[in-house]
Amino acid sequence: MSLSISMPLRRLGRLFCLSSALVASAAFADSYTDFQQASGQLEALMAKATPQSGLPRLGDPAVAQLFAHIADGPRLFQAPVAALQDVNQSVAVCEKAMRLGKTYYAFGLERPLPLSGAELQQARREQMTQNLASYGDEMSTLFAFSMHCHGHLIGLMEQEFSAQPADAVSGPERLRARAFSKNTAIVYTGVLQFMQVPLWNVAQKKMMLEAAAQHATANANLMAPPLRERLLTSLADADKDLDPALAPALATIRQALSVTTCTGLCQYY
């Protein structure tokens, strides 16, 4: 896995959603039900999007209401319902949010074009750049939510694996912990690198960075120390032309990554 800050835009897509009547008809019950219903409604709206209409935007009050139910990490995870005490169901929430974000990122990329070779690649890059400019608010909201979601997952896994001595953990369980740690570290790294794309504005960067900073220690604790060091190195130029509003969150992330001891899930990485 490369930790280069200049990761091509086409790789960023791998990391990683209009009707008032739809919203009004929802019978919201609890935070988990809210998420499931609202994310399903957003997916349905996305499926109807055309190049002319574009994807659902936060500027539409009905869409903003859906996002309020989808991306409210604190409400969803601070006092989670029984379903979110289950790792698999929590994973499904995180994956759905990332799919929604990727839909915004990849919008229009599957449209056939009468081009080939370098011209086709350039057209795809221009489309991705346009998506970042057009849907930055929506993507940054969903990617920030993914930080809260994966922070919740880390807590569940830490709780599970701390309940027994490390030498008592079976081989298959060790592999499961390793896979979880590796995949979660990829998501965290991807958001930190994605945040450095120049097209994000300060408010969008601030949303993602502050969410990443809130869960910086949890994410660092599941990474092997050499990985933390590489990620820390990849942030070396993140201060360049940095808006002062972003400095505290970046400092928190760097401090967490600078710890060289390994306790918890990092031993399985």
Side-chain angles (χ1 to χ4, degrees), residues 32 35-36 76-77 82-100 145-146 148-157 160 176 179-181 183-184 187:
Y32 180 68
F35 176 89
Q36 295 290 72
L76 190 59
F77 301 122
L84 291 178
Q85 295 301 320
D86 179 81
V87 170
N88 290 331
Q89 292 189 70
S90 297
V91 167
V93 168
C94 298
E95 289 180 342
K96 179 171 281 190
M98 291 300 286
R99 283 199 304 273
L100 292 171
F145 172 80
S146 76
H148 297 303
C149 195
H150 282 86
H152 168 72
L153 272 176
I154 293 169
L156 291 180
M157 291 290 285
E160 177 182 339
R176 184 168 75 92
F180 170 79
S181 296
N183 291 334
T184 305
V187 171

Side-chain angles (χ1 to χ4, degrees), residues 27-31 33-34 37 75:
F28 295 115
D30 57 53
S31 58
T33 304
D34 289 355
Q37 293 182 348
R75 177 172 177 258

Side-chain angles (χ1 to χ4, degrees), residues 52-242:
Q52 292 73 35
S53 69
L55 289 168
R57 301 293 300 275
L58 275 167
D60 182 324
V63 175
Q65 186 175 351
L66 292 179
F67 267 79
H69 290 297
I70 294 168
D72 188 348
R75 177 172 177 258
L76 190 59
F77 301 122
Q78 283 179 359
V81 296
L84 291 178
Q85 295 301 320
D86 179 81
V87 170
N88 290 331
Q89 292 189 70
S90 297
V91 167
V93 168
C94 298
E95 289 180 342
K96 179 171 281 190
M98 291 300 286
R99 283 199 304 273
L100 292 171
K102 185 175 179 180
T103 298
Y104 279 105
Y105 176 82
F107 183 62
L109 294 182
E110 295 181 359
R111 187 170 68 249
L113 296 173
L115 301 171
S116 62
E119 290 183 339
L120 179 60
Q121 292 181 6
Q122 178 62 27
R124 297 301 190 210
R125 283 194 294 269
E126 290 174 357
Q127 180 65 56
M128 286 186 283
T129 299
Q130 180 180 326
N131 290 345
L132 284 166
S134 299
Y135 304 116
D137 287 345
E138 292 77 14
M139 277 188 270
S140 59
T141 298
L142 290 165
F143 294 152
F145 172 80
S146 76
M147 293 292 92
H148 297 303
C149 195
H150 282 86
H152 168 72
L153 272 176
I154 293 169
L156 291 180
M157 291 290 285
E158 288 281 10
Q159 183 178 2
E160 177 182 339
F161 279 85
S162 65
Q164 56 185 319
D167 57 7
V169 177
S170 68
E173 285 299 289
R174 285 176 174 271
L175 290 175
R176 184 168 75 92
R178 175 182 171 82
F180 170 79
S181 296
K182 194 168 186 178
N183 291 334
T184 305
I186 288 172
V187 171
Y188 193 74
T189 298
V191 169
L192 290 184
Q193 293 181 326
F194 204 16
M195 176 277 304
Q196 297 179 68
V197 173
L199 286 170
W200 296 114
N201 64 37
V202 173
Q204 293 161 356
K205 289 183 178 183
K206 191 170 188 288
M207 179 179 291
M208 291 186 288
L209 263 186
E210 289 185 347
Q214 185 175 334
H215 304 285
T217 298
N219 277 275
N221 284 347
L222 62 76
M223 300 178 190
L227 178 62
R228 296 178 209 164
E229 183 179 354
R230 291 198 298 273
L231 180 52
L232 187 61
T233 300
S234 79
L235 297 173
D237 294 331
D239 287 323
K240 186 177 181 181
D241 301 322
L242 184 73

